[in-house]
Amino acid sequence: GRVDQANNTTGVSEPIRAGQQSPAVSIIVPCYNGGRFLDALMASLARQTFRDFEVVLVDDGSTDEETRGKLAALKDCVHLIRQENRGPSAARNTGVRVARADSLFMLDCDDTIEPSFLADTVPLLQKAPPEIGMVVTHLRLAGAESGIVSRYFNRFDLLFTNTLSAGLVLRKTSVLAAGGYDESMREGYEDWDFSLRMTAAGFGCIEVKKPLYVYTIAGNNAEPSRSSGVDSKRLYGPLWRGIRKRHPTLYRPGAMLHLWSASRDGNGRVSLWKGLMAYVLASLLPDALFNTLIARLHRGPRADNPLPAYGAPAGEPRLAP
């Protein structure tokens, strides 16, 4: 293993072990004060049936002693990079730059994966045509909530709700072609913005219909997660407005109608009128009123809500514990 200090985090790194062949997949793990989760994360990686991987763990300026101690203990078995705190997008982009594999897996430090995750996703991406840039699995919720959350790819639905969210397996060339993650998005939904970047660049996605990614929901007594911060701060309106401004060509009325027509393959869950209604309301209503409307929409167990859910992976209803 090797540790890159904050002043040496740009460019492609040297291999972890000289002469070793590049791995099939680089697992990129951003970590900011998440040391309490690392034992579970590393245990889930140790159980993987697919063994040809490296772990690129990016310490995004952690300050608590527990995390710093955990990271120091892992430096001989992961590629550890330390940088000043710049947010999850910057940490992921750093991981992309130093990753040695052609396939990348974005794994949040507070989540885990089932033993067959890599075996069911990495070969699938390797065999796919170059226009396929992503593979996604369904989610299993853990922690304060439980249940199964489906993830799927529909270009029209993705305009209004984050149908992919966490745990993407990506082709590195596709990530670079799409421009990586937007490092200015530090309040949330940077993963949604990234999926739209991939869509705008012309890349598609394969869905694995198994709940192989274990998504942790923080409990009431835990430190607030970024998703709960979006909830408490009522940031849905401003964040989605920012996404629309970042992708103006995708959100033109004609482009939205074209995507709806081209995406009618049976897996869409957002109807045309609901999507356009959400767009019009978000454009006309003040943020406070729009945020209240979203909260009310997501009180019921509906799977076709056209806007990001709060307190759960965006795009799905809250599931009872």
Side-chain angles (χ1 to χ4, degrees), residues 55-67:
V55 180
V56 180
L57 208 165
V58 183
D59 175 16
D60 191 37
S62 296
T63 57
D64 74 274
E65 291 302 319
E66 178 185 10
T67 298

PDB file of all heavy atoms in Angstrom, residues 55-67:
ATOM      1  N   VAL A  55      -8.626  -1.276  -3.871  1.00  0.00           N
ATOM      2  CA  VAL A  55      -9.440  -0.335  -3.110  1.00  0.00           C
ATOM      3  C   VAL A  55      -8.703   0.999  -3.061  1.00  0.00           C
ATOM      4  O   VAL A  55      -7.573   1.080  -2.553  1.00  0.00           O
ATOM      5  CB  VAL A  55      -9.714  -0.837  -1.685  1.00  0.00           C
ATOM      6  CG1 VAL A  55     -10.564   0.186  -0.917  1.00  0.00           C
ATOM      7  CG2 VAL A  55     -10.414  -2.189  -1.713  1.00  0.00           C
ATOM      8  N   VAL A  56      -9.332   2.045  -3.598  1.00  0.00           N
ATOM      9  CA  VAL A  56      -8.788   3.397  -3.545  1.00  0.00           C
ATOM     10  C   VAL A  56      -9.620   4.171  -2.528  1.00  0.00           C
ATOM     11  O   VAL A  56     -10.769   4.515  -2.782  1.00  0.00           O
ATOM     12  CB  VAL A  56      -8.840   4.083  -4.920  1.00  0.00           C
ATOM     13  CG1 VAL A  56      -8.273   5.499  -4.833  1.00  0.00           C
ATOM     14  CG2 VAL A  56      -8.094   3.266  -5.965  1.00  0.00           C
ATOM     15  N   LEU A  57      -9.054   4.393  -1.352  1.00  0.00           N
ATOM     16  CA  LEU A  57      -9.774   5.031  -0.262  1.00  0.00           C
ATOM     17  C   LEU A  57      -9.295   6.477  -0.148  1.00  0.00           C
ATOM     18  O   LEU A  57      -8.123   6.735   0.139  1.00  0.00           O
ATOM     19  CB  LEU A  57      -9.523   4.262   1.040  1.00  0.00           C
ATOM     20  CG  LEU A  57     -10.616   4.321   2.111  1.00  0.00           C
ATOM     21  CD1 LEU A  57     -10.407   3.233   3.155  1.00  0.00           C
ATOM     22  CD2 LEU A  57     -10.672   5.677   2.782  1.00  0.00           C
ATOM     23  N   VAL A  58     -10.204   7.413  -0.381  1.00  0.00           N
ATOM     24  CA  VAL A  58      -9.859   8.835  -0.404  1.00  0.00           C
ATOM     25  C   VAL A  58     -10.335   9.484   0.892  1.00  0.00           C
ATOM     26  O   VAL A  58     -11.539   9.632   1.123  1.00  0.00           O
ATOM     27  CB  VAL A  58     -10.482   9.545  -1.620  1.00  0.00           C
ATOM     28  CG1 VAL A  58     -10.042  11.007  -1.656  1.00  0.00           C
ATOM     29  CG2 VAL A  58     -10.096   8.840  -2.920  1.00  0.00           C
ATOM     30  N   ASP A  59      -9.375   9.844   1.744  1.00  0.00           N
ATOM     31  CA  ASP A  59      -9.685  10.552   2.988  1.00  0.00           C
ATOM     32  C   ASP A  59      -9.872  12.027   2.657  1.00  0.00           C
ATOM     33  O   ASP A  59      -8.910  12.745   2.368  1.00  0.00           O
ATOM     34  CB  ASP A  59      -8.541  10.356   3.988  1.00  0.00           C
ATOM     35  CG  ASP A  59      -8.752  11.164   5.270  1.00  0.00           C
ATOM     36  OD1 ASP A  59      -9.894  11.620   5.510  1.00  0.00           O
ATOM     37  OD2 ASP A  59      -7.775  11.342   6.013  1.00  0.00           O
ATOM     38  N   ASP A  60     -11.124  12.473   2.704  1.00  0.00           N
ATOM     39  CA  ASP A  60     -11.457  13.845   2.312  1.00  0.00           C
ATOM     40  C   ASP A  60     -11.333  14.796   3.500  1.00  0.00           C
ATOM     41  O   ASP A  60     -12.283  15.462   3.889  1.00  0.00           O
ATOM     42  CB  ASP A  60     -12.877  13.884   1.722  1.00  0.00           C
ATOM     43  CG  ASP A  60     -13.202  15.207   1.060  1.00  0.00           C
ATOM     44  OD1 ASP A  60     -12.305  15.794   0.431  1.00  0.00           O
ATOM     45  OD2 ASP A  60     -14.359  15.658   1.188  1.00  0.00           O
ATOM     46  N   GLY A  61     -10.133  14.824   4.093  1.00  0.00           N
ATOM     47  CA  GLY A  61      -9.864  15.768   5.186  1.00  0.00           C
ATOM     48  C   GLY A  61     -10.535  15.407   6.486  1.00  0.00           C
ATOM     49  O   GLY A  61     -11.012  16.295   7.209  1.00  0.00           O
ATOM     50  N   SER A  62     -10.585  14.115   6.824  1.00  0.00           N
ATOM     51  CA  SER A  62     -11.216  13.694   8.085  1.00  0.00           C
ATOM     52  C   SER A  62     -10.509  14.331   9.280  1.00  0.00           C
ATOM     53  O   SER A  62      -9.285  14.497   9.292  1.00  0.00           O
ATOM     54  CB  SER A  62     -11.174  12.166   8.221  1.00  0.00           C
ATOM     55  OG  SER A  62     -11.932  11.548   7.208  1.00  0.00           O
ATOM     56  N   THR A  63     -11.293  14.661  10.311  1.00  0.00           N
ATOM     57  CA  THR A  63     -10.754  15.338  11.488  1.00  0.00           C
ATOM     58  C   THR A  63     -10.863  14.536  12.773  1.00  0.00           C
ATOM     59  O   THR A  63     -10.134  14.805  13.728  1.00  0.00           O
ATOM     60  CB  THR A  63     -11.479  16.687  11.702  1.00  0.00           C
ATOM     61  OG1 THR A  63     -12.895  16.449  11.812  1.00  0.00           O
ATOM     62  CG2 THR A  63     -11.230  17.629  10.525  1.00  0.00           C
ATOM     63  N   ASP A  64     -11.770  13.537  12.844  1.00  0.00           N
ATOM     64  CA  ASP A  64     -11.932  12.821  14.103  1.00  0.00           C
ATOM     65  C   ASP A  64     -10.872  11.723  14.249  1.00  0.00           C
ATOM     66  O   ASP A  64     -10.440  11.118  13.268  1.00  0.00           O
ATOM     67  CB  ASP A  64     -13.347  12.246  14.247  1.00  0.00           C
ATOM     68  CG  ASP A  64     -13.579  11.038  13.354  1.00  0.00           C
ATOM     69  OD1 ASP A  64     -13.943  11.260  12.196  1.00  0.00           O
ATOM     70  OD2 ASP A  64     -13.372   9.897  13.815  1.00  0.00           O
ATOM     71  N   GLU A  65     -10.479  11.470  15.480  1.00  0.00           N
ATOM     72  CA  GLU A  65      -9.366  10.561  15.754  1.00  0.00           C
ATOM     73  C   GLU A  65      -9.698   9.121  15.382  1.00  0.00           C
ATOM     74  O   GLU A  65      -8.824   8.369  14.940  1.00  0.00           O
ATOM     75  CB  GLU A  65      -8.970  10.657  17.230  1.00  0.00           C
ATOM     76  CG  GLU A  65      -8.330  11.988  17.604  1.00  0.00           C
ATOM     77  CD  GLU A  65      -7.076  12.267  16.771  1.00  0.00           C
ATOM     78  OE1 GLU A  65      -6.287  11.329  16.547  1.00  0.00           O
ATOM     79  OE2 GLU A  65      -6.901  13.419  16.335  1.00  0.00           O
ATOM     80  N   GLU A  66     -10.957   8.697  15.586  1.00  0.00           N
ATOM     81  CA  GLU A  66     -11.315   7.328  15.246  1.00  0.00           C
ATOM     82  C   GLU A  66     -11.084   7.066  13.761  1.00  0.00           C
ATOM     83  O   GLU A  66     -10.494   6.036  13.384  1.00  0.00           O
ATOM     84  CB  GLU A  66     -12.781   7.049  15.593  1.00  0.00           C
ATOM     85  CG  GLU A  66     -13.233   5.639  15.220  1.00  0.00           C
ATOM     86  CD  GLU A  66     -14.712   5.390  15.460  1.00  0.00           C
ATOM     87  OE1 GLU A  66     -15.440   6.361  15.742  1.00  0.00           O
ATOM     88  OE2 GLU A  66     -15.136   4.224  15.360  1.00  0.00           O
ATOM     89  N   THR A  67     -11.541   7.982  12.918  1.00  0.00           N
ATOM     90  CA  THR A  67     -11.368   7.806  11.480  1.00  0.00           C
ATOM     91  C   THR A  67      -9.894   7.819  11.095  1.00  0.00           C
ATOM     92  O   THR A  67      -9.434   6.977  10.315  1.00  0.00           O
ATOM     93  CB  THR A  67     -12.116   8.904  10.708  1.00  0.00           C
ATOM     94  OG1 THR A  67     -13.507   8.808  10.992  1.00  0.00           O
ATOM     95  CG2 THR A  67     -11.894   8.773   9.207  1.00  0.00           C
TER      96      THR A  67
END
